[in-house]
Amino acid sequence: MTDPISTPAAPQPAAPLTEAEDRQWASFAHLGGIIGFLPSLIIWLVFKDRGRFTNTEGKEALNFQITMVAAYIVGSILSVIVIGFLITLAAAIVSIIFSIIGFTKAKDGIAYRYPFAIRLIK
C-alpha cells in the first residue's frame, strides 16, 4: 500500500495591520531605541510588509539607532581620553530623548524624522 504524499500547506501571508496596530508598532519601533537598535530592527523586519506607517517609521528609527551605535563606537575608541566618555554619555542622552519624541509623534500618527541620522536603509 502506498500512502498519498501530503504536501504541507503554503504559509499564508500575514494580515495587514489595522491603523491602530500600525501606529502602535511604529511607535514601539521608536521607543525600543532606548535599549538599543535590536527592537527597531526586529519590529521593522516583522511588520514592514504589513503596515505602511510601521515600515516608514521603523526604517527611520533603525537608521537613527545605527547612527547612535556609530557614536557609541567612536566614544568607546576615544575613551582613552576624557572626550570619549562625554561622547558616549551625550549619545545615550540624545538617543533616549529623541526616541521618546519619536514614540509620542508616531503614537499620534505623525511621521517623525530625526534631526540627524545616517540613512542607510532606504
Side-chain angles (χ1 to χ4, degrees), residues 62-97:
L62 185 56
N63 282 325
F64 179 70
Q65 293 310 318
I66 291 170
T67 304
M68 290 296 93
V69 167
Y72 292 140
I73 291 171
V74 168
S76 296
I77 291 170
L78 294 177
S79 66
V80 177
I81 55 177
V82 175
I83 193 138
F85 171 73
L86 297 175
I87 290 172
T88 304
L89 180 63
I93 292 169
V94 164
S95 179
I96 290 170
I97 291 171

Side-chain angles (χ1 to χ4, degrees), residues 3 17 24 27 33-34 37 54-55 57 72 74 79 102:
D3 292 330
L17 297 172
Q24 174 188 12
S27 62
I34 290 175
F37 75 94
T54 301
N55 181 29
E57 295 303 298
Y72 292 140
V74 168
S79 66

